[in-house]
Amino acid sequence: MIPIGETLSQEQRAVVEAPLGSARKVVAGAGTGKTKTMVERFAHLVSPAVGLDPGRIMVVTFTNKAAAELRERITSKLLSTGQAAERASLDNAWFGTFHALCTRLLREDCYQVGFDRDIQVINPLEERLLVQEVQRELRDGRIERARILEIEAMDIDDTARLSKATFDLIRSLKSRGILHDELLQRCLATGKKFWDEWNLKADTVSSIDQVADEEARELVCATFAEYEHRLAERGLIDFDGLLIATRDALRDHPNWAQERREFFQHLIVDEFQDTNRLQLEVLAALAKPGLANLEVVGDPRQSIYGWRDAEIKNILDFKGTEHQLTGNYRSPQPILDAAHHIISVDTRFSVGPLFAHRGAGSPASVGLYRAGDPEEEARFVAGRILQLHEDEKRSWSDIAILTRMRRPPIAFEKELRRLGVPYVTGGGYGFFEREEIKDVMAFIRVIDDPLDDAALIRVLQGPVVRVSDGELFRLFVGRREGKHFWDVLLDRLAEDGVVE
């Protein structure tokens, strides 16, 4: 038997040596050596004692970076123990994100499931631009297979907000495995039931509200249907479309699904707390009956992607043998206790506290300071950093400020500069999130579509045009009559004799 790492804790060893044959859940708290445990688990599974084929184990990670790191560490481990003859031994192993692995599944067996091998994956920015393109053409009546979108009952501001939210709504629906035809049927059924009940209860019937509701449904459903049509027409597919195609292929081709279930001897899923409903459906279709070869790893306390439709109940409700990793190698005990004190308020989490391998630490590891305003807060933080550096000889690089925003508040930056504290910002802004790029994009959007009110407002408030607040208010007053900003602006310019 290949020796397991000698530095494993008792909890980690129990996970690594766990027998096969049943669903398994590993609740790995922060800093508890989760990745190391997963590496040792994989090495154990492919050891002569267990005998699984490394090329028939699927390991699903949340990011491409995590997949690459896990592949590298497992490869190094197998090389060091003699379980792999060369680094290329795991080149064809199944490590990757849901999207990468689904793409590989569909392309490898494209002829069996009728998948276009040459289809290209569209990125999120292209998705958003395509949705906006569809909405413009629907509104202008330039799509022959769709009727002109006539928005009469909906308020112009409500229409603008719904149009802007449609892209995120489409992504949210697809992450649940819902396509446009199912959405339309649900909307029709739900809408009919609601208005039938409303009309029975209400003293007066508001036909305008009912028409506005129908217009909203038409706006979303027509956009969704045309978006899907154009993806197919252009040989494109979005990320959630890959998962839907995989789920449907496994459902519609039972022989192929059975072949794949027999091929994969074991499935390991990392960051399971951040999976969504569609991802869970794909896993269930690939796993053996009763999820007997599915092993999930995660921590419900670290679920942070609910805004991207991750469903924490996937891990909370997962039925299987449970292991907990509670030994933390990262923080002293006071920090762990403080975190647990806050988290334990949520009664959904039945997991206990973490225990520090680093020892008890100092009670001063955790402190609370209530500032009266942002400036006072910034002075306290900057002063504390200077104290740590000068009195306790801490390196600048040992200190970090965590904020809820991508960039620190301006008060922090000012105070750090005043005290001469060097700093760099992490995360930063993406190219299209920089203010100057947003200004340029606003001009391009107005040139392409003068009725894009949000873009026009940015142009009028930007560094090039910059109308006064009073003038902008007068434009807003004119807009209340139901006109678009562009029309109000042209009327105003005509009054001033600038245009005819």
Side-chain angles (χ1 to χ4, degrees), residues 121-362:
V121 181
I122 188 173
N123 67 49
L125 176 60
E126 292 171 322
E127 288 179 59
R128 188 179 292 276
L129 292 175
L130 180 56
V131 169
Q132 292 174 353
E133 170 192 310
V134 167
Q135 288 181 327
R136 284 196 302 271
E137 295 189 18
L138 279 172
R139 184 188 61 215
D140 297 340
R142 287 185 280 159
I143 300 176
E144 294 182 1
R145 58 184 157 267
R147 69 179 183 84
I148 299 175
L149 264 181
E150 297 179 351
I151 305 297
E152 297 176 348
M154 283 182 68
D155 178 83
I156 188 171
D157 290 324
D158 289 340
T159 304
R161 281 192 290 268
L162 181 59
S163 297
K164 186 177 180 181
T166 298
F167 169 71
D168 293 323
L169 180 58
I170 289 174
R171 293 188 72 185
S172 179
L173 289 165
K174 293 191 74 172
S175 74
R176 290 170 165 81
I178 299 172
L179 290 176
H180 59 90
D181 50 353
E182 182 181 352
L183 172 65
L184 179 58
Q185 294 305 314
R186 288 192 184 189
C187 285
L188 289 172
T190 305
K192 183 179 185 307
K193 179 181 178 183
F194 174 83
W195 288 111
D196 286 348
E197 294 177 356
W198 177 269
N199 293 336
L200 287 173
K201 296 177 182 177
D203 295 331
T204 58
V205 177
S206 175
S207 59
I208 295 248
D209 289 341
Q210 189 166 351
V211 172
D213 180 66
E214 293 170 356
E215 289 177 351
R217 180 189 67 228
E218 178 69 16
L219 173 61
V220 174
C221 292
T223 301
F224 197 172
E226 183 62 23
Y227 166 75
E228 290 294 312
H229 180 85
R230 294 198 180 191
L231 285 178
E233 190 176 59
R234 300 175 187 183
L236 300 172
I237 193 169
D238 55 31
F239 286 113
D240 288 320
L242 283 170
L243 297 178
I244 291 174
T246 306
R247 178 202 64 183
D248 292 350
L250 290 165
R251 178 196 63 202
D252 299 337
H253 301 273
N255 291 336
W256 175 68
Q258 184 60 30
E259 288 175 12
R260 279 305 180 179
R261 278 192 288 272
E262 292 175 357
F263 174 80
F264 291 114
Q265 297 173 325
H266 203 66
L267 306 174
I268 301 175
V269 186
D270 191 18
E271 305 292 359
F272 191 66
Q273 76 278 356
D274 288 322
T275 55
N276 60 34
R277 183 190 308 175
L278 183 56
Q279 291 164 339
L280 185 60
E281 289 177 1
V282 171
L283 287 172
L286 284 171
K288 286 181 169 53
L291 308 181
N293 62 335
L294 178 59
E295 187 171 316
V296 303
V297 184
D299 183 1
R301 297 165 295 189
Q302 297 184 61
S303 180
I304 58 173
Y305 285 101
W307 59 277
R308 261 181 20 188
D309 299 301
E311 298 196 16
I312 193 173
K313 68 177 184 179
N314 286 356
I315 190 169
L316 291 175
D317 297 344
F318 187 86
K319 304 301 181 185
T321 304
E322 182 172 325
H323 299 263
Q324 292 196 18
L325 299 182
T326 60
N328 180 280
Y329 297 86
R330 187 180 297 159
S331 304
Q333 195 62 48
I335 292 178
L336 301 179
D337 290 341
H340 178 70
H341 177 73
I342 296 172
I343 295 170
S344 61
V345 174
D346 193 328
T347 56
R348 293 176 300 170
F349 304 143
S350 60
V351 290
L354 301 180
F355 302 97
H357 284 284
R358 291 179 55 179
S362 168

Side-chain angles (χ1 to χ4, degrees), residues 25-40:
K25 175 168 70 174
V26 181
V27 180
T32 56
K34 176 191 69 174
T35 303
K36 175 183 178 180
T37 304
M38 290 178 67
V39 170
E40 296 288 346

Side-chain angles (χ1 to χ4, degrees), residues 60-69 96-98 270-271 305 308:
V60 188
T61 61
F62 199 68
T63 65
N64 290 319
K65 181 180 178 182
E69 178 189 354
T97 62
F98 278 98
D270 191 18
E271 305 292 359
Y305 285 101
R308 261 181 20 188

